Amino acid sequence: MTINTQHGSPQFPSPSSTIASSSREIMDASIQTLVEQKENWIHTPVATRIAIVDALIADFSALAPRWVAASLEAKGLEEDSPYAGDEWVAGTWTLLHSLRQLRQALVDIQKDGHPHIPGPVRTRPDGQVTAQVFPFRSYDRVLFPGIRAEVWMQPGVTAETLASTQAINYQSQTSEGKVALVLGAGNVASIGPMDVLYKLFTDNQVVLFKANPVNAYLGPLLEESFRSLIQPGYLRIVYGGATEGSYLCQHPDIDEIHITGSDKTFDAIVFGPGAEGAARKAARQPLVTKRVTGELGNVSPVIVVPGPWTEQDLAYQAEHIASMLANNAGYNCNATRVIIQQKSWSQRQALLQQIRDVLSHLSTRTAYYPGARERYQAFLDAHPEAEQFGTSNPQHLPWTLIADVDSTNADDICFTTEAFCSLFSETALEATSVVEYIERAVQFANEQLWGTLNITLLVHPGSLKDPAIAAAVDKAVAQLRYGSIGINYWAGTSFVLGSTTWGAFPGHEIYDIQSGNDVVHNSLMFSQPQKSVLYAPFRSKPAPPWFTNQSRISRKLFKQMVQFETAPSWWKIPAIIKTALSG
């Protein structure tokens, strides 16, 4: 088996599926139904759409336990596994949470023509407009204490014109109906359904969803829970691999394509596979000329800003960094891949040692994603000094740290290639001051690491008391070319908040797509976002439930959170808080 690992996301081998591929007759019939209903969808009243969302919430809530059980079985996890919480939070709660936000956005559109922004809108000194989008509702201030998030708009958007850039497909009914093909991702159970919702409710397009063979087992459950969209002909679900995907991408009645996955798959769609596709790309002659959007991979960095860290701080942030990798066994496009430190920081090695301690106590997981072992081996071949923690056998890969990667080696696999497995690296930059280091770290992340999806900065509040460092951090946030930025909070949580955007920093053309060319989630339906920025305390209390040392409570907590989103009520909050504090 040949695995293309150099530069970008992996080219995944073709996986097998437990669901038979759809025939061309079935695919054609599905598309024909969508063609017949695409004009009806764009004229569907907002009140009817709200009723559809209500049905989606009720139907998905009812089968959420079955959804989680199917995911656990496929990933080789028992119901009481310390990692079972991953499937409750990213697989079910995230979807229900986003549906709740979508419903509120539609209510606002029905009343005022655009979603209401829940927090202040500000104009920065450079003229860039930011809108606080989280907390989205009063419940969130209690459920996510200390967490807030902003969406920064592209230059040119003003505070006065911001509302006119929201829900633009609801402001005019002059557009023609379209059929969108959504190619599902195989790693996180909520990705496909949320992409479907975005194309339907924000882009106003009916959807043909092709399940990814890796998690096609969820397809029948999706058909059951999304029946309020399927019955009137606004959604169809089909199955298959690359052959079926190629047929659908080139189908004349498919108007647009959206993929969450690898830049290699994106290129194969747009230019065709193999040498012929590479030649078309080089000649700038795409095979598919319809609009193709993607949310793709990233070599996700964590910038560690030196400061007066205590032993407790080191332990907390080591758990934080390791948890960014361990979530979903590292099969996430937002997993930690490169830890960036200042070479002269006196606590650099202490932080690394704390990370080693965390990894050494983590049980390993089934390497369920196709090609994982081959990708892993490519990194070990390049870095035989890699440190491995835990079990390594035909089913499991160890947690792995590659420390002290030479930051001047621009072609190092750790910087150019998304591992998409249980492995990350650390590098250090020379700098004579913290301010200089921050500037160099921003340049390194922007210019040397592949992708623009998400980045996390860890900065101690004591450091921010220095006006020069505070200014450098603010400048860094403005200059970082990433779609999501987390300050003291994993930027990957932008994926689950819903009101934040999720996708690459804008500007990638199809000839150098990197992390993609559009956003999803974005429940306030901004049409010109640039990035999302999350802010959190340096040490959240209680610790986030996705931390590995909170695994004892995360499964129970997110079951409660799922029940909460089914029918939100202040009466349910005390039990949730009690569970969160019991860890």
Side-chain angles (χ1 to χ4, degrees):
M1 181 187 298
T2 300
I3 305 295
N4 183 346
T5 56
Q6 279 299 325
H7 296 279
S9 297
Q11 181 172 336
F12 299 110
S14 299
S16 58
S17 174
T18 57
I19 305 290
S21 297
S22 300
S23 67
R24 289 195 175 185
E25 290 75 16
I26 289 175
M27 292 188 287
D28 288 342
S30 297
I31 294 172
Q32 183 57 38
T33 297
L34 296 169
V35 169
E36 293 169 357
Q37 296 301 324
K38 64 182 182 180
E39 297 298 329
N40 289 337
W41 175 248
I42 65 172
H43 294 103
T44 299
V46 174
T48 302
R49 295 180 181 224
I50 293 171
I52 289 173
V53 172
D54 285 339
L56 290 170
I57 291 171
D59 290 343
F60 188 79
S61 298
L63 62 67
R66 291 161 56 200
W67 184 274
V68 170
S71 298
L72 293 175
E73 181 180 2
K75 295 180 180 182
L77 297 172
E78 299 295 331
E79 185 179 355
D80 60 352
S81 165
Y83 300 113
D86 291 359
E87 300 307 317
W88 280 101
V89 58
T92 55
W93 175 81
T94 296
L95 178 54
L96 285 169
H97 181 64
S98 292
L99 281 167
R100 279 285 163 202
Q101 292 181 345
L102 173 59
R103 187 189 192 283
Q104 185 59 54
L106 291 172
V107 169
D108 294 343
I109 290 170
Q110 186 179 39
K111 180 181 179 183
D112 296 318
H114 61 85
H116 296 169
I117 298 170
V121 174
R122 296 189 174 94
T123 302
R124 290 174 49 82
D126 60 4
Q128 189 166 15
V129 169
T130 70
Q132 185 173 314
V133 300
F134 194 87
F136 186 83
R137 56 192 177 176
S138 55
Y139 295 122
D140 296 330
R141 301 181 188 279
V142 178
L143 295 173
F144 301 91
I147 310 300
R148 65 181 176 91
E150 302 168 340
V151 174
W152 292 31
M153 305 304 155
Q154 295 184 34
V157 177
T158 67
E160 293 73 25
T161 63
L162 179 57
S164 68
T165 72
Q166 292 180 266
I168 58 174
N169 286 308
Y170 292 83
Q171 296 182 24
S172 171
Q173 293 293 337
T174 59
S175 62
E176 295 182 355
K178 291 185 177 181
V179 178
L181 170 65
V182 171
L183 300 172
N187 57 328
V188 175
S190 63
I191 292 177
M194 292 177 71
D195 289 351
V196 166
L197 293 172
Y198 194 79
K199 297 303 288 186
L200 275 157
F201 289 92
T202 300
D203 286 351
N204 217 16
Q205 300 170 7
V206 294
V207 173
L208 179 69
F209 176 71
K210 188 187 81 65
N212 190 296
V214 176
N215 60 3
Y217 55 86
L218 293 172
L221 295 177
L222 185 60
E223 293 180 40
E224 183 178 341
S225 58
F226 273 44
R227 58 189 175 181
S228 62
L229 288 166
I230 292 172
Q231 287 174 353
Y234 304 140
L235 171 65
R236 286 292 181 268
I237 300 172
V238 295
Y239 303 89
T243 300
E244 289 73 23
S246 177
Y247 175 74
L248 294 172
C249 287
Q250 298 182 47
H251 197 287
D253 288 327
I254 294 293
D255 299 303
E256 293 194 5
I257 302 166
H258 179 77
I259 175 177
T260 294
S262 165
D263 63 309
K264 308 298 187 302
T265 305
F266 185 97
D267 284 351
I269 291 169
V270 176
F271 303 104
E276 290 185 5
R280 287 192 194 95
K281 182 178 179 180
R284 303 175 78 87
Q285 295 178 344
L287 178 67
V288 172
T289 56
K290 62 190 71 175
R291 183 171 183 251
V292 183
T293 57
E295 185 271 286
L296 310 174
N298 194 49
V299 176
S300 305
V302 176
I303 296 176
V304 178
V305 178
W309 292 28
T310 65
E311 285 296 316
Q312 291 77 15
D313 294 334
L314 290 166
Y316 178 94
Q317 296 300 348
E319 193 78 44
H320 192 180
I321 292 169
S323 297
M324 297 182 210
L325 173 69
N327 184 274
N328 199 30
Y331 301 116
N332 286 335
C333 56
N334 51 31
T336 303
R337 295 302 172 201
V338 179
I339 305 160
I340 304 171
Q341 299 205 71
Q342 184 177 358
K343 184 168 287 188
S344 61
W345 185 37
S346 62
Q347 293 178 291
R348 175 192 169 201
Q349 295 302 327
L351 178 60
L352 283 174
Q353 188 55 50
Q354 290 276 11
I355 292 171
R356 293 182 180 103
D357 290 345
V358 174
L359 296 177
S360 66
H361 289 92
L362 291 183
S363 57
T364 56
R365 292 187 53 175
T366 300
Y368 72 88
Y369 214 86
R373 187 165 295 279
E374 291 77 14
R375 291 192 301 277
Y376 180 84
Q377 190 59 49
F379 279 79
L380 261 60
D381 290 346
H383 288 281
E385 76 281 11
E387 303 171 63
Q388 301 179 53
F389 305 86
T391 303
S392 178
N393 58 40
Q395 287 75 43
H396 288 225
L397 288 175
W399 306 110
T400 301
L401 169 65
I402 305 173
D404 201 26
V405 178
D406 182 1
S407 64
T408 66
N409 182 6
D411 291 327
D412 194 288
I413 189 173
C414 294
F415 305 150
T416 65
T417 306
E418 182 185 12
F420 211 73
C421 63
S422 55
L423 176 149
F424 57 6
S425 66
E426 183 264 357
T427 191
L429 306 178
E430 296 278 6
T432 58
S433 68
V434 173
V435 170
E436 181 190 356
Y437 161 73
I438 293 171
E439 293 172 347
R440 290 206 60 202
V442 169
Q443 182 181 20
F444 179 83
N446 279 344
E447 305 295 339
Q448 197 155 323
L449 299 181
W450 181 85
T452 65
L453 185 62
N454 72 119
I455 185 170
T456 302
L457 286 77
L458 304 178
V459 53
H460 194 283
S463 299
L464 295 174
K465 292 179 181 179
D466 183 329
I469 294 177
V473 170
D474 182 73
K475 183 179 177 182
V477 175
Q479 291 185 338
L480 281 166
R481 297 194 295 270
Y482 285 81
S484 290
I485 301 171
I487 310 299
N488 292 331
Y489 212 70
W490 180 22
T493 56
S494 182
F495 172 88
V496 306
L497 291 184
S499 55
T500 44
T501 57
W502 185 248
F505 191 84
H508 296 304
E509 60 176 8
I510 60 172
Y511 306 103
D512 182 24
I513 195 61
Q514 295 203 37
S515 294
N517 56 353
D518 201 5
V519 300
V520 289
H521 305 184
N522 182 29
S523 60
L524 296 171
M525 302 185 188
F526 297 111
S527 62
Q528 298 181 51
Q530 184 192 68
K531 65 177 78 170
S532 292
V533 183
L534 285 67
Y535 303 88
F538 184 65
R539 285 168 56 186
S540 295
K541 295 181 180 180
W546 44 267
F547 272 33
T548 58
N549 61 3
Q550 300 298 302
S551 60
R552 184 174 63 84
I553 67 167
S554 65
R555 183 175 68 256
K556 179 181 178 181
L557 177 65
F558 279 102
K559 280 185 181 180
Q560 292 175 311
M561 294 283 277
V562 164
Q563 294 166 358
F564 174 83
E565 298 296 350
T566 302
S569 166
W570 284 108
W571 294 105
K572 297 179 181 179
I573 296 293
I576 293 173
I577 294 175
K578 181 179 179 181
T579 300
L581 293 174
S582 67

